[in-house]
Amino acid sequence: MAVEGKDRTREMETGAQLLSGQLGKTVQRLRKAYNLSLSELAEQSGVAKSIISQIERNETNPTLATIWRLSQALDVSIERVLASGDDEPFIEKSSRADTPILVSDDGRMRLAIIGWIKTVEWLQWYDVQAEPGAVLESDPHQRGSIECLSVLEGEFAVEVAGVVQQARAGESLRYRCDRAHTVRCTGDGPARAVMVCILKAAVMD
């Protein structure tokens, strides 16, 4: 019995480490998807910056209360945060509760993160919905990054380095986003688009 008990304990510890490691990766990917620093996530979640850092590095096993606070701050269900990568189905379905939403500073443009969260460090894509006059101002992404805005409804305008280009439904704008850039809803009605951001792309001439 003693040997079996030790094996069982070892198995439980291994399982806990695997779950913690998956949790850390998920928290880090979501944090980066929101472009949040450790300090900003700590402020929004009420979880200490040092604890979040340890979670991301798989150096601690957080309590359920801590996981809940992080899931609330990252706008994703606790089930999604705890999901094991090894258990993911070949076909994955995400509910509204599992789809993080970014909101522009003026509150009039919403970006649903519809891309795979595991690719967020190099490939991101969003479902963009905007009210008339909405403005989304973004800081430069990594050098060489490119963004593509494909308009589905309404009209958008993109400004990069003082250059402005507009697009209507059925048109797309591709632009360097490794410098400050602004997306505006310029039509009289609401607009919708799909935005894809390719990070770490080859530097353009």
Side-chain angles (χ1 to χ4, degrees), residues 99-115:
T99 305
I101 303 293
L102 303 176
V103 181
S104 60
D105 289 340
D106 63 6
R108 307 183 73 180
M109 192 177 302
R110 296 168 60 84
L111 289 78
I113 303 176
I114 57 176

Side-chain angles (χ1 to χ4, degrees), residues 109-112 114 124-130 136 146-158 165-175 183-185 190-198:
M109 192 177 302
R110 296 168 60 84
L111 289 78
I114 57 176
Q124 305 169 356
W125 66 97
Y126 309 88
D127 176 16
V128 183
Q129 298 187 45
L136 176 67
I146 300 170
E147 206 162 84
C148 176
L149 185 75
S150 297
V151 183
L152 303 177
E153 301 174 12
E155 299 179 20
F156 285 92
V158 173
Q165 186 63 262
Q166 295 192 2
R168 297 180 178 180
E171 299 178 330
S172 297
L173 296 174
R174 284 174 288 276
Y175 45 94
V183 178
R184 293 184 175 87
C185 178
R192 187 172 184 179
V194 172
M195 178 188 291
V196 178
C197 183
I198 305 172

Side-chain angles (χ1 to χ4, degrees), residues 26-78:
T26 301
V27 169
Q28 187 177 68
R29 286 177 182 132
L30 285 168
R31 179 174 65 80
K32 290 183 177 180
Y34 280 112
N35 293 318
L36 293 174
S37 66
L38 285 171
S39 297
E40 289 170 334
L41 180 55
E43 181 178 351
Q44 293 186 22
S45 65
V47 178
K49 174 182 175 180
S50 59
I51 297 298
I52 298 175
S53 178
Q54 290 174 9
I55 291 173
E56 291 189 357
R57 297 197 306 269
N58 191 24
E59 294 178 351
T60 185
N61 293 320
T63 64
L64 188 59
T66 295
I67 297 173
W68 185 85
R69 291 192 185 99
L70 290 172
S71 71
Q72 293 299 299
L74 294 169
D75 192 26
V76 68
S77 68
I78 193 168

